Amino acid sequence: MIPSFFIAHGAPLLAIENNDYTQFLKELGQTMPTPKAIVLFSAHWESHVQKVSQVDEYSTIYDFGGFPEALYQIQYLAKGSQELSREIEELFTNQGLHYEIDTSRGLDHGAWIVLRMLYPNADIPVVSMSVNPHLSPEEQYKIGKSLSMLRENDILIIGSGGTVHNLRAVKFHGDNGPVDKWAFEFDEWLAHQLKTWNIESLFNYDALAPNAQYAVPPYGKEHFAPLFYAMGAAADQKKATLRHRSYRYGNLSHSVWQFG
Protein backbone atom coordinates (compact mmCIF):
# COMPACT_ATOMS: atom_id res chain seq x y z
CA MET A 1 0.00 0.00 0.00
CA ILE A 2 1.45 3.33 -1.03
CA PRO A 3 1.78 5.97 1.75
CA SER A 4 0.23 9.42 1.69
CA PHE A 5 2.33 12.56 2.10
CA PHE A 6 2.20 16.11 3.37
CA ILE A 7 4.72 18.15 1.38
CA ALA A 8 5.63 21.80 1.88
CA HIS A 9 5.72 23.70 -1.41
CA GLY A 10 7.67 26.65 0.00
CA ALA A 11 7.95 29.94 -1.85
CA PRO A 12 7.51 30.00 -5.67
CA LEU A 13 11.27 30.47 -6.20
CA LEU A 14 11.70 26.88 -5.07
CA ALA A 15 10.69 25.84 -8.60
CA ILE A 16 13.95 27.19 -10.08
CA GLU A 17 16.29 26.64 -7.13
CA ASN A 18 18.74 23.86 -6.41
CA ASN A 19 19.18 23.18 -2.71
CA ASP A 20 18.95 20.40 -0.14
CA TYR A 21 15.16 20.47 -0.16
CA THR A 22 14.73 20.36 -3.93
CA GLN A 23 17.25 17.52 -4.06
CA PHE A 24 15.32 15.65 -1.40
CA LEU A 25 12.05 15.96 -3.31
CA LYS A 26 13.64 14.81 -6.56
CA GLU A 27 15.19 11.80 -4.82
CA LEU A 28 11.87 11.01 -3.12
CA GLY A 29 10.15 10.82 -6.50
CA GLN A 30 12.88 8.52 -7.79
CA THR A 31 12.95 6.14 -4.83
CA MET A 32 9.34 5.59 -3.79
CA PRO A 33 7.01 3.26 -5.75
CA THR A 34 5.62 4.87 -8.89
CA PRO A 35 1.91 5.56 -8.35
CA LYS A 36 -0.80 4.86 -10.89
CA ALA A 37 -2.24 8.33 -10.27
CA ILE A 38 -2.05 11.22 -7.79
CA VAL A 39 -4.72 12.98 -5.75
CA LEU A 40 -3.42 16.35 -4.56
CA PHE A 41 -4.98 18.79 -2.08
CA SER A 42 -3.43 22.22 -2.63
CA ALA A 43 -3.40 25.10 -0.16
CA HIS A 44 -3.81 27.45 -3.10
CA TRP A 45 -7.19 26.11 -4.13
CA GLU A 46 -9.62 27.23 -1.46
CA SER A 47 -13.30 26.43 -1.66
CA HIS A 48 -16.20 26.23 0.81
CA VAL A 49 -17.43 23.16 -1.04
CA GLN A 50 -15.03 20.31 -1.77
CA LYS A 51 -13.96 20.55 -5.41
CA VAL A 52 -12.88 17.55 -7.45
CA SER A 53 -11.15 18.28 -10.75
CA GLN A 54 -12.28 16.42 -13.85
CA VAL A 55 -10.13 17.53 -16.76
CA ASP A 56 -8.23 15.83 -19.56
CA GLU A 57 -5.12 18.03 -19.38
CA TYR A 58 -4.23 20.76 -16.92
CA SER A 59 -3.01 24.23 -17.76
CA THR A 60 -0.32 25.79 -15.54
CA ILE A 61 -1.50 28.58 -13.22
CA TYR A 62 0.99 31.31 -12.21
CA ASP A 63 -0.79 32.48 -9.07
CA PHE A 64 1.98 34.81 -7.90
CA GLY A 65 3.57 38.06 -9.00
CA GLY A 66 6.89 39.88 -9.02
CA PHE A 67 9.14 36.87 -9.55
CA PRO A 68 11.80 36.17 -12.21
CA GLU A 69 10.54 35.58 -15.74
CA ALA A 70 11.89 32.02 -15.67
CA LEU A 71 9.08 31.02 -13.30
CA TYR A 72 6.45 32.09 -15.81
CA GLN A 73 8.01 29.97 -18.53
CA ILE A 74 7.51 26.73 -16.64
CA GLN A 75 4.73 24.49 -17.85
CA TYR A 76 3.58 21.33 -16.16
CA LEU A 77 1.00 19.81 -18.48
CA ALA A 78 -0.18 16.86 -16.41
CA LYS A 79 -3.06 14.72 -17.56
CA GLY A 80 -6.19 14.23 -15.53
CA SER A 81 -8.00 10.98 -14.85
CA GLN A 82 -11.72 10.85 -15.52
CA GLU A 83 -11.85 7.35 -14.06
CA LEU A 84 -10.24 8.37 -10.77
CA SER A 85 -12.40 11.50 -10.54
CA ARG A 86 -15.52 9.35 -10.82
CA GLU A 87 -14.18 6.95 -8.20
CA ILE A 88 -13.63 9.86 -5.80
CA GLU A 89 -17.16 11.09 -6.50
CA GLU A 90 -18.52 7.67 -5.64
CA LEU A 91 -16.55 7.51 -2.39
CA PHE A 92 -17.76 10.96 -1.35
CA THR A 93 -21.36 10.14 -2.27
CA ASN A 94 -21.34 6.86 -0.35
CA GLN A 95 -20.06 8.66 2.76
CA GLY A 96 -22.42 11.60 2.52
CA LEU A 97 -19.72 14.18 1.74
CA HIS A 98 -20.80 17.14 -0.37
CA TYR A 99 -18.65 17.98 -3.39
CA GLU A 100 -18.69 19.74 -6.75
CA ILE A 101 -16.93 18.88 -10.02
CA ASP A 102 -14.56 21.38 -11.65
CA THR A 103 -13.87 20.88 -15.35
CA SER A 104 -11.61 23.82 -16.18
CA ARG A 105 -9.15 24.80 -13.42
CA GLY A 106 -5.44 24.26 -14.02
CA LEU A 107 -2.74 23.39 -11.49
CA ASP A 108 -1.69 26.20 -9.13
CA HIS A 109 1.87 26.52 -7.90
CA GLY A 110 1.07 24.64 -4.71
CA ALA A 111 0.40 21.66 -6.95
CA TRP A 112 2.82 21.94 -9.85
CA ILE A 113 5.91 22.90 -7.85
CA VAL A 114 5.60 19.71 -5.81
CA LEU A 115 4.57 17.50 -8.72
CA ARG A 116 7.33 18.79 -10.97
CA MET A 117 9.96 18.01 -8.34
CA LEU A 118 8.65 14.48 -7.83
CA TYR A 119 7.70 13.61 -11.40
CA PRO A 120 9.30 16.07 -13.84
CA ASN A 121 7.96 14.29 -16.92
CA ALA A 122 4.33 14.98 -15.97
CA ASP A 123 3.57 11.39 -16.95
CA ILE A 124 1.34 10.43 -14.00
CA PRO A 125 -2.40 11.33 -14.06
CA VAL A 126 -3.49 13.86 -11.44
CA VAL A 127 -6.79 14.72 -9.78
CA SER A 128 -6.54 18.14 -8.15
CA MET A 129 -8.58 18.81 -4.99
CA SER A 130 -9.48 21.99 -3.14
CA VAL A 131 -9.13 22.58 0.59
CA ASN A 132 -11.51 24.31 2.97
CA PRO A 133 -9.61 26.08 5.78
CA HIS A 134 -12.93 26.92 7.48
CA LEU A 135 -13.64 23.28 8.25
CA SER A 136 -12.44 21.88 11.55
CA PRO A 137 -9.29 19.72 11.44
CA GLU A 138 -11.51 16.76 12.29
CA GLU A 139 -13.66 17.39 9.20
CA GLN A 140 -10.57 17.77 7.00
CA TYR A 141 -9.23 14.51 8.41
CA LYS A 142 -12.55 12.82 7.62
CA ILE A 143 -12.37 13.87 3.96
CA GLY A 144 -8.87 12.43 3.68
CA LYS A 145 -9.98 9.26 5.47
CA SER A 146 -12.79 8.78 2.97
CA LEU A 147 -10.15 8.34 0.26
CA SER A 148 -7.85 6.00 2.17
CA MET A 149 -8.86 2.92 0.19
CA LEU A 150 -7.41 4.53 -2.95
CA ARG A 151 -3.95 3.85 -1.54
CA GLU A 152 -4.60 0.11 -1.90
CA ASN A 153 -4.67 0.68 -5.65
CA ASP A 154 -1.36 2.58 -5.67
CA ILE A 155 -2.97 6.03 -5.76
CA LEU A 156 -0.68 8.61 -4.14
CA ILE A 157 -2.48 11.16 -1.95
CA ILE A 158 -0.61 14.41 -1.27
CA GLY A 159 -1.44 17.43 0.84
CA SER A 160 0.60 20.46 -0.30
CA GLY A 161 1.02 23.38 2.10
CA GLY A 162 3.31 24.30 5.00
CA THR A 163 3.37 23.56 8.74
CA VAL A 164 4.74 27.02 9.56
CA HIS A 165 3.58 29.57 7.01
CA ASN A 166 3.27 33.15 8.24
CA LEU A 167 4.15 35.50 5.40
CA ARG A 168 4.08 38.50 7.73
CA ALA A 169 6.90 36.96 9.75
CA VAL A 170 9.22 35.59 7.05
CA LYS A 171 12.55 37.32 6.52
CA PHE A 172 13.05 37.25 2.77
CA HIS A 173 16.37 39.09 3.13
CA GLY A 174 17.67 36.71 5.78
CA ASP A 175 17.62 33.36 4.01
CA ASN A 176 20.68 31.95 5.74
CA GLY A 177 19.93 33.23 9.23
CA PRO A 178 19.03 31.18 12.30
CA VAL A 179 15.64 29.49 12.66
CA ASP A 180 13.18 31.43 14.80
CA LYS A 181 12.61 29.68 18.11
CA TRP A 182 8.84 30.00 17.93
CA ALA A 183 8.70 28.18 14.59
CA PHE A 184 10.93 25.35 15.76
CA GLU A 185 8.96 24.90 18.99
CA PHE A 186 5.70 24.63 17.07
CA ASP A 187 7.12 22.06 14.66
CA GLU A 188 8.58 20.04 17.54
CA TRP A 189 5.19 19.92 19.29
CA LEU A 190 3.55 18.96 16.01
CA ALA A 191 6.09 16.19 15.38
CA HIS A 192 5.39 14.59 18.75
CA GLN A 193 1.62 14.59 18.20
CA LEU A 194 1.94 13.21 14.68
CA LYS A 195 4.35 10.43 15.64
CA THR A 196 2.00 9.31 18.43
CA TRP A 197 -1.06 9.88 16.22
CA ASN A 198 -2.60 12.03 18.95
CA ILE A 199 -5.52 13.30 16.93
CA GLU A 200 -7.28 14.69 19.99
CA SER A 201 -4.44 17.16 20.56
CA LEU A 202 -3.89 17.75 16.84
CA PHE A 203 -7.54 18.66 16.29
CA ASN A 204 -7.10 21.28 19.05
CA TYR A 205 -3.64 22.45 17.98
CA ASP A 206 -4.71 26.11 17.94
CA ALA A 207 -5.29 25.98 21.71
CA LEU A 208 -2.58 23.49 22.70
CA ALA A 209 0.45 24.00 20.47
CA PRO A 210 3.09 26.57 21.47
CA ASN A 211 3.02 29.65 19.23
CA ALA A 212 0.12 28.23 17.21
CA GLN A 213 -1.40 31.61 16.41
CA TYR A 214 1.93 32.72 14.98
CA ALA A 215 2.85 29.53 13.13
CA VAL A 216 -0.66 29.08 11.74
CA PRO A 217 -2.19 32.56 11.73
CA PRO A 218 -5.95 32.87 11.22
CA TYR A 219 -5.37 34.28 7.73
CA GLY A 220 -3.07 31.39 6.79
CA LYS A 221 -4.85 28.21 7.85
CA GLU A 222 -5.15 27.03 4.26
CA HIS A 223 -1.49 26.01 4.32
CA PHE A 224 -1.87 23.90 7.44
CA ALA A 225 -5.14 22.25 6.42
CA PRO A 226 -3.59 19.89 3.80
CA LEU A 227 -1.78 18.13 6.65
CA PHE A 228 -5.08 16.77 7.96
CA TYR A 229 -6.31 15.64 4.54
CA ALA A 230 -3.07 13.72 3.99
CA MET A 231 -3.04 12.31 7.52
CA GLY A 232 -6.65 11.16 7.28
CA ALA A 233 -5.80 9.24 4.12
CA ALA A 234 -3.63 6.94 6.28
CA ALA A 235 -5.98 6.67 9.25
CA ASP A 236 -6.08 2.91 8.76
CA GLN A 237 -2.37 2.61 9.60
CA LYS A 238 -1.79 5.50 12.00
CA LYS A 239 1.91 5.81 11.30
CA ALA A 240 3.69 9.14 10.72
CA THR A 241 7.32 9.58 9.69
CA LEU A 242 9.15 12.88 9.31
CA ARG A 243 11.11 12.52 6.07
CA HIS A 244 12.55 16.04 5.86
CA ARG A 245 12.49 19.31 7.74
CA SER A 246 14.38 22.50 7.02
CA TYR A 247 13.64 26.22 7.06
CA ARG A 248 14.00 29.24 4.81
CA TYR A 249 13.78 32.94 5.63
CA GLY A 250 13.90 32.37 9.39
CA ASN A 251 10.68 30.42 9.81
CA LEU A 252 9.16 29.17 6.53
CA SER A 253 9.17 25.42 7.07
CA HIS A 254 9.96 22.79 4.46
CA SER A 255 8.46 19.73 6.11
CA VAL A 256 7.66 16.41 4.47
CA TRP A 257 5.56 13.95 6.45
CA GLN A 258 4.90 10.42 5.30
CA PHE A 259 1.74 8.72 6.55
CA GLY A 260 1.36 4.97 6.42
Side-chain angles (χ1 to χ4, degrees), residues 41 73 85 94 253:
F41 292 88
Q73 302 302 316
S85 293
N94 291 343
S253 66

Side-chain angles (χ1 to χ4, degrees), residues 162-166 182-183 186-187 210-217 220 224:
T163 57
V164 179
H165 190 275
N166 186 338
W182 60 266
F186 176 83
D187 267 340
N211 315 305
Q213 296 303 307
Y214 213 42
V216 187
F224 196 60

Side-chain angles (χ1 to χ4, degrees), residues 45 47-54 85 88-89 92-93 97-103 127-130:
W45 188 8
S47 173
H48 287 285
V49 176
Q50 179 62 56
K51 300 283 190 178
V52 181
S53 65
Q54 195 173 90
S85 293
I88 292 170
E89 293 174 52
F92 282 165
T93 299
L97 295 172
H98 186 47
Y99 66 91
E100 293 178 355
I101 298 299
D102 183 284
T103 60
V127 174
S128 183
M129 309 282 282
S130 67

Side-chain angles (χ1 to χ4, degrees), residues 176-233:
N176 297 317
V179 178
D180 289 340
K181 182 180 178 182
W182 60 266
F184 182 76
E185 288 178 345
F186 176 83
D187 267 340
E188 283 288 282
W189 179 92
L190 180 64
H192 178 71
Q193 312 312 317
L194 289 172
K195 289 177 180 178
T196 57
W197 212 269
N198 186 352
I199 57 175
E200 183 177 348
S201 291
L202 286 165
F203 291 167
N204 293 284
Y205 76 90
D206 52 348
L208 298 176
N211 315 305
Q213 296 303 307
Y214 213 42
V216 187
Y219 58 83
K221 288 186 176 182
E222 76 286 342
H223 276 75
F224 196 60
L227 179 76
F228 293 112
Y229 292 94
M231 187 183 186

